[in-house]
Amino acid sequence: MNAISKLPGRSAALLCLAAIASVMFAQVCLAVKHEDFKTCEQSAFCNRHRTFADNMLKQPQTASPYSVIKNSVSLNGHVLTAAVEHSVEKVPLNFELSFLDSGALRVRVQEEAPLKPRFDETQKVVLRDEGSSLPYVSPESIKMVSDTTDGVDTHTISYANGNTSFSVRMAENPWSLEYLVDGKPAIQLNSKGLFRFEHLREKPAEEQPAEDASGEWEEKFRTWTDTKPRGPESFGMDICFNGFEHVYGIPEHTSPLSLKETRGGGKGAYDQPYRLYNLDVF
């Protein structure tokens, strides 16, 4: 008599179903066609961002090309706003930082005058239930102090929740953010100068070459063609977590919840970035 026949009928049936499901799952995993998914090298926006990051990291003395436009910083209630622009492209970006009572922050960046409004509906449901309001910090408990240190204008916004103090330090040129908890740096944004925002644009009137090497206006993958009538629209930024050994997030497929390195991480690391969808062809 085998092991399964010794089990009660219901338990044996469930065990058989589990075994069948495991076999089917294994077959599905083996059937994944990796050639159907773009690598970073084959994806124009990913390749542009990685190339930009590599060039910046090779020259650590090179500062971020983004800075805060003078006299654009203001604190209204629980929201810090500023205008940020690229030193060459000169396309103003609206920067908005909202402070929640819990210490959480909401960072949003959008073009000041885009050719066409981008999708902007997630703010209605992220960090809250639909129809409810977020528990923002009260205007009476938050303050901003502006100063100049080593020739760099900075703005520090501070508030507290119980015995825990929170503060954000924003530098104007180059633009960067530092989030502190009880006076200790916890998170840094654009500290390595990798922020890059591709604004919407009109296609140049002159005739374009048949092959768009950078993939800014069109790119092809196997039988698919991805046209971009308003040009490239991606953005990227470096985020540093100080003193943390693990960063947790949404894994790709069966990856661990503790996210792995995707560049230069050594044994067990990945060489491709994480995808938000496992069918992210483009």
Side-chain angles (χ1 to χ4, degrees):
M1 182 178 291
N2 58 39
I4 293 181
S5 63
K6 295 179 181 179
L7 295 174
R10 181 177 177 81
S11 299
L14 290 176
L15 183 58
C16 290
L17 287 174
I20 293 172
S22 298
V23 172
M24 292 178 63
F25 180 72
Q27 290 177 342
V28 170
C29 290
L30 293 174
V32 172
K33 296 181 179 180
H34 294 285
E35 63 272 16
D36 285 344
F37 299 89
K38 275 188 173 183
T39 63
C40 187
E41 292 74 16
Q42 295 171 316
S43 178
F45 84 90
C46 184
N47 197 31
R48 286 196 303 271
H49 281 283
R50 277 198 164 181
T51 300
F52 173 71
D54 288 342
N55 292 335
M56 290 292 291
L57 295 176
K58 288 177 182 177
Q59 304 175 17
Q61 72 279 5
T62 303
S64 170
Y66 289 88
S67 62
V68 175
I69 298 176
K70 285 293 184 182
N71 303 318
S72 67
V73 179
S74 65
L75 178 65
N76 299 304
H78 59 268
V79 180
L80 173 72
T81 58
V84 180
E85 69 176 2
H86 191 280
S87 59
V88 177
E89 297 171 347
K90 299 294 184 181
V91 176
L93 305 174
N94 287 335
F95 166 76
E96 182 180 290
L97 182 63
S98 301
F99 300 87
L100 277 70
D101 187 60
S102 63
L105 304 175
R106 165 172 277 175
V107 182
R108 302 178 68 236
V109 180
Q110 177 61 283
E111 292 175 60
E112 184 177 280
L115 291 179
K116 182 179 180 180
R118 302 194 189 206
F119 179 78
D120 193 24
E121 296 296 314
T122 54
Q123 60 175 315
K124 297 179 180 180
V125 294
V126 174
L127 298 181
R128 61 176 161 181
D129 295 328
E130 188 174 0
S132 66
S133 60
L134 287 171
Y136 292 113
V137 63
S138 63
E140 297 78 18
S141 60
I142 189 171
K143 64 178 182 178
M144 180 173 72
V145 176
S146 301
D147 196 5
T148 302
T149 304
D150 297 329
V152 179
D153 293 332
T154 60
H155 308 273
T156 303
I157 301 88
S158 305
Y159 65 103
N161 184 339
N163 296 324
T164 305
S165 63
F166 305 101
S167 58
V168 172
R169 184 181 298 124
M170 182 177 72
E172 286 197 4
N173 189 12
W175 174 66
S176 65
L177 289 172
E178 186 175 41
Y179 175 61
L180 302 93
V181 179
D182 290 334
K184 298 180 180 180
I187 303 175
Q188 294 174 311
L189 278 65
N190 203 36
S191 61
K192 296 182 179 180
L194 305 186
F195 177 72
R196 177 187 172 96
F197 193 103
E198 297 180 330
H199 64 277
L200 305 182
R201 64 202 76 188
E202 296 284 359
K203 191 172 184 178
E206 61 268 19
E207 187 175 338
Q208 295 294 307
E211 185 68 24
D212 183 4
S214 63
E216 292 186 338
W217 300 100
E218 180 180 286
E219 59 180 308
K220 297 181 179 180
F221 179 66
R222 302 190 70 179
T223 60
W224 297 282
T225 299
D226 184 20
T227 58
K228 307 167 189 177
R230 289 175 291 276
E233 320 182 17
S234 66
F235 72 93
M237 179 167 58
D238 57 284
I239 303 175
C240 299
F241 299 87
N242 298 328
F244 293 89
E245 294 183 6
H246 300 275
V247 176
Y248 295 89
I250 303 175
E252 178 188 11
H253 301 301
T254 56
S255 299
L257 287 175
S258 179
L259 303 182
K260 295 184 178 183
E261 292 279 353
T262 58
R263 293 297 294 273
K267 186 177 180 180
Y270 297 149
D271 60 1
Q272 294 295 315
Y274 282 91
R275 302 172 185 266
L276 290 181
Y277 299 97
N278 60 3
L279 289 180
D280 181 16
V281 177
F282 289 112

